[in-house]
Amino acid sequence: MKRIGKLESVWRYPVKSMRGEEVEEIYAAYTGLMGDRVYAVSSTDAIPEFPWHTNREHEEFVLYTPRFKNHQDTLLPPALEATYEEALNPPYPLDDRFAVEIVTPEGKTIDVDSPAFLEGLKDKSEGDLSLYYTQKNTVDCRPLSLFSLQTVKQLASEMNMELDKRRFRANFYADWDTEGGFYEDTLINRRLKIGERLEVMIIEPDPRCKSITIDPDTAETSPKILKYISRKHDNNAGVFAAVLKEGAVKTGDEICLLD
Amino acid sequence: MKFYPLTVLDVIDETDSARSFVLEPQADSAEHFHYKAGQFLTFRVPWNDAEDGFLDRCYSLSSAPETSEHMKVTVKREQGGRVSNWFNDTVKAGDVIDVAAPSGRFVLKGNDKPLALFAAGSGITPVLSIIKSTLAGGAKSIRLFYANRDKENVIFHQELDALCNQHSDILRCHHHLDSDSGFVNPDIIKPQCGDAEHYVCGPGPFMDIVEDALADFGVKDSEIHIERFTTLEDASSSDVKTKAPSDVTGFRATLDFDDHDVVYEPDQTLLESMLSAGLDPAHSCKNGKCGSCMVLMKDGEVEMHSNKVLSKRDLEKGYVLLCQSVPMSKNVWVDCDE
């Protein structure tokens, strides 16, 4: 195994399209990170194949901060070591342990499943909104997304602007041992081991959309970021990964090539 | 878009030029066909001459989930319309048709305001669905203004009469016939407006008149719900709806800080015109979904076929999507650098 970098940070997004949460240690399952995008808001105004109310139509959605009420219970499944030993899929806690509360941009704390939450979003959508919940992760395309600090740095340099890595809403931010951006693109179809157990395969580039134009702290948009990536990098930045072997990962874990 | 086989249970003659089709999904796809009153179904019809070997068309549901066990769409023949005539001439009970899940945002808002409904021609289909759903839900006042060319073309005449008789305290229907009263004009529409949620569906000229009348009357945008009942029969894609005025032959685009005068050909989007001209503005999905081709309008007017990515804030700032925009005036100028 050849070491190629380390895990700089790990992020999940308890409510799809809202602000992310950095975690020290987390379980990565075949469907994605535990607690990642377990809630989403659907809208009748959206298309059937992508029925979500997102920060694209409502930029300030990124300023809503979701947090699990039972944070510790949502990081690692119980009896994880025993399931490793038996090669079993670890059962997750019951749904009530995944209860989420949200701090609104106005500083109000509200339960995600309270009627007041959707009521507060009513004038932000042309459609009727409803809450969607699943333990299986409401990801757009693939279970995991990966971005590197080097790619953030290269894009910032190319565009001559400061870029916050959080714009790219990845699960894993890698710090490669090599210089230069877009190294992750060279890993497509390669198997990686992250930490002591997790094995993933890098599947494909991540085609970007308007979400990356939104400043994660102000919700102001900079369309030129997406336009630049579209014209200079075929609209792709970052990569998607599929999980081959489930396991927990933590910040600072080594990333190694398996083949 | 995923399509599922639906069985035609019954075919009902509504007028000489319109038929209703009662549909039933198969057991394993029934879960995809829960719908709200006012929504439509997209049909995929095999068609040898079509570029992709099929034609996709949308038809509104005239049934309401609260009152009908089965879904029902109503299709009116359009002159030269391949699919609408195929429906009326060919489709029979027992046939199986490919249909996508219900869609559309022309649906009831959850408040107690009265309804002021405006329909013309086959635009009555989603409006009838809304009427049935509303009547099933309680005692909300409903006023329907329903315009047709003549009496013979009134779809659902008997059904509406029966509903009005049954719910005479809350449902009132005003039939307007061009043959008797001339084409609809704002003065005819205004008395129908008021403190209500306004729903409008019908052919383009009718919609324009009603929209203008509602605006003149001071009806708030948030209380106007519109379903553009556009005939897609001659379009190559179900998304192509808007055509540029014939005198629009070009537009200006700023790209990489240079201004370009771009030739516009009929039926193109702004993006297609720019690509034809050898320009390479940012773009990706070409479906109005990713936002890569958002550009700032500096002058003129465009209409977008579809927008699933720009926010209200973007639109207010003047952003439009190149891949979905059609120029509606001769002075269109877009800035691709902003």
Side-chain angles (χ1 to χ4, degrees):
Chain A
M1 280 197 309
K2 180 192 170 193
R3 178 193 146 114
I4 54 173
K6 67 175 183 180
L7 208 49
E8 185 266 344
S9 59
V10 182
W11 293 72
R12 66 178 176 180
Y13 306 81
V15 180
K16 187 179 181 67
S17 223
M18 285 188 184
R19 178 169 281 157
E21 173 192 47
E22 185 176 359
V23 291
E24 283 295 308
E25 186 173 21
I26 191 88
Y27 185 72
Y30 295 123
T31 56
L33 296 186
M34 191 170 177
D36 185 37
R37 283 118 169 161
V38 289
Y39 291 92
V41 175
S42 68
S43 169
T44 56
D45 190 39
I47 50 180
E49 63 269 31
F50 190 82
W52 313 120
H53 177 77
T54 71
N55 54 38
R56 306 187 318 170
E57 315 82 47
H58 174 202
E59 292 89 347
E60 289 79 9
F61 214 43
V62 297
L63 304 182
Y64 287 70
T65 308
R67 58 192 181 207
F68 288 103
K69 290 181 167 182
N70 308 291
H71 180 78
Q72 287 302 324
D73 293 351
T74 64
L75 297 172
L76 301 171
L80 186 58
E81 289 302 325
T83 60
Y84 282 165
E85 285 168 20
E86 299 292 332
L88 294 168
N89 286 327
Y92 278 6
L94 295 177
D95 287 348
D96 65 335
R97 307 314 291 166
F98 286 90
V100 158
E101 62 185 9
I102 291 163
V103 182
T104 69
E106 296 77 30
K108 203 169 142 189
T109 302
I110 193 166
D111 286 347
V112 71
D113 55 358
S114 72
F117 167 58
L118 292 180
E119 187 67 25
L121 295 173
K122 207 172 166 185
D123 63 342
K124 305 297 183 191
S125 172
E126 295 286 315
D128 295 331
L129 301 178
S130 53
L131 187 69
Y132 180 84
Y133 168 78
T134 174
Q135 289 196 0
K136 289 184 182 174
N137 316 107
T138 314
V139 291
D140 287 350
C141 305
R142 303 287 184 183
L144 294 174
S145 56
L146 184 148
F147 212 93
S148 72
L149 300 188
Q150 286 76 13
T151 300
V152 178
K153 189 176 169 190
Q154 180 176 325
L155 286 171
S157 169
E158 289 175 356
M159 285 187 274
N160 194 26
M161 67 183 290
E162 285 188 16
L163 268 187
D164 188 321
K165 71 182 180 200
R166 293 175 299 159
R167 283 180 183 273
F168 300 98
R169 302 179 67 81
N171 294 122
F172 294 160
Y173 289 95
D175 186 2
W176 302 125
D177 292 339
T178 54
E179 292 292 318
F182 294 91
Y183 171 67
E184 53 269 30
D185 288 8
T186 69
L187 301 174
I188 288 171
N189 293 329
R190 306 293 298 273
R191 291 191 304 136
L192 309 183
K193 183 165 187 180
I194 305 176
E196 293 177 4
R197 188 175 170 88
L198 179 66
E199 292 179 15
V200 303
M201 176 170 269
I202 305 299
I203 299 291
E204 60 199 356
D206 184 348
R208 308 312 308 217
C209 72
K210 185 192 151 187
S211 281
I212 65 168
T213 71
I214 303 168
D215 185 302
D217 289 326
T218 66
E220 287 302 313
T221 51
S222 302
K224 72 174 187 178
I225 298 173
L226 180 58
K227 290 181 187 187
Y228 181 85
I229 290 173
S230 172
R231 296 182 79 191
K232 303 296 182 188
H233 297 284
D234 290 333
N235 212 56
N236 298 319
V239 290
F240 286 129
V243 174
L244 302 176
K245 186 176 177 186
E246 299 177 315
V249 291
K250 56 184 184 299
T251 305
D253 273 349
E254 282 195 335
I255 305 176
C256 298
L257 269 178
L258 277 175
D259 51 17
Chain B
M1 187 176 281
K2 188 168 183 185
F3 290 83
Y4 305 89
L6 264 60
T7 303
V8 179
L9 294 181
D10 196 9
V11 178
I12 302 161
D13 289 332
E14 301 288 358
T15 66
D16 287 347
S17 58
R19 284 181 157 181
S20 291
F21 301 87
V22 181
L23 304 163
E24 183 180 49
Q26 294 180 356
D28 60 355
S29 62
E31 62 178 312
H32 301 291
F33 287 90
H34 298 297
Y35 68 101
K36 289 185 176 180
Q39 290 192 306
F40 60 82
L41 297 176
T42 304
F43 294 79
R44 172 156 288 185
V45 178
W47 208 270
N48 286 339
D49 298 339
E51 191 178 337
D52 301 326
F54 53 81
L55 297 171
D56 290 352
R57 295 292 182 266
C58 305
Y59 294 108
S60 289
L61 288 146
S62 51
S63 55
E66 296 87 349
T67 60
S68 305
E69 183 185 355
H70 299 296
M71 295 179 291
K72 184 169 78 172
V73 295
T74 305
V75 182
K76 184 181 178 184
R77 286 182 192 276
E78 299 294 339
Q79 194 172 6
R82 290 174 287 181
V83 177
S84 65
N85 283 297
W86 175 81
F87 259 101
N88 277 276
D89 291 334
T90 314
V91 176
K92 59 187 185 306
D95 286 353
V96 174
I97 308 178
D98 286 338
V99 185
S103 182
R105 59 184 180 183
F106 189 67
V107 295
L108 282 166
K109 295 289 162 186
N111 63 39
D112 295 329
K113 283 194 173 176
L115 300 183
L117 310 175
F118 300 86
S122 55
I124 189 65
T125 47
V127 171
L128 179 64
S129 174
I130 283 172
I131 290 172
K132 290 174 182 172
S133 176
T134 305
L135 292 174
K140 186 188 279 191
S141 167
I142 307 169
R143 295 192 309 272
L144 169 65
F145 178 90
Y146 182 20
N148 281 284
R149 201 164 50 223
D150 50 43
K151 198 173 177 181
E152 287 67 39
N153 276 289
V154 180
I155 306 171
F156 307 130
H157 202 167
Q158 289 181 343
E159 195 169 358
L160 281 168
D161 281 353
L163 286 171
C164 285
N165 287 334
Q166 196 180 344
H167 302 276
S168 57
D169 51 337
I170 52 174
L171 174 61
R172 289 184 185 175
C173 178
H174 176 90
H175 284 281
H176 173 96
L177 300 176
D178 295 349
S179 56
D180 293 346
S181 316
F183 198 70
V184 171
N185 64 61
D187 292 335
I188 296 173
I189 295 296
K190 283 179 187 171
Q192 311 295 325
C193 308
D195 182 20
E197 294 286 344
H198 298 73
Y199 290 79
V200 191
C201 184
F206 171 80
M207 305 279 285
D208 293 343
I209 288 166
V210 176
E211 277 187 80
D212 288 348
L214 294 178
D216 285 350
F217 193 79
V219 177
K220 289 187 283 187
D221 286 350
S222 61
E223 292 174 347
I224 303 175
H225 313 286
I226 288 172
E227 181 84 319
R228 288 215 169 265
F229 219 76
T230 315
T231 301
L232 302 174
E233 295 294 351
D234 296 320
S236 59
S237 156
S238 60
D239 289 334
V240 179
K241 294 176 182 173
T242 308
K243 283 185 181 294
S246 56
D247 60 347
V248 175
T249 56
F251 62 95
R252 175 163 292 185
T254 303
L255 179 65
D256 298 330
F257 307 105
D258 284 331
D259 293 337
H260 303 269
D261 289 321
V262 181
V263 173
Y264 179 77
E265 298 287 347
D267 297 332
Q268 285 184 326
T269 62
L270 297 186
L271 176 63
E272 288 166 341
S273 297
M274 289 186 72
L275 294 175
S276 298
L279 301 171
D280 185 29
H283 65 282
S284 182
C285 74
K286 297 184 182 175
N287 283 320
K289 294 175 184 170
C290 76
S292 295
C293 66
M294 64 192 285
V295 296
L296 195 61
M297 290 292 298
K298 296 190 82 171
D299 204 356
E301 289 177 32
V302 302
E303 275 192 25
M304 285 191 282
H305 299 314
S306 168
N307 165 37
K308 291 298 173 192
V309 64
L310 296 182
S311 66
K312 199 183 281 184
R313 196 172 86 184
D314 292 325
L315 298 171
E316 284 168 3
K317 282 181 181 173
Y319 281 105
V320 297
L321 299 170
L322 278 181
C323 74
Q324 298 297 309
S325 290
V326 169
M328 300 307 286
S329 66
K330 292 199 275 190
N331 58 335
V332 166
W333 183 4
V334 292
D335 188 342
C336 305
D337 297 331
E338 287 294 323

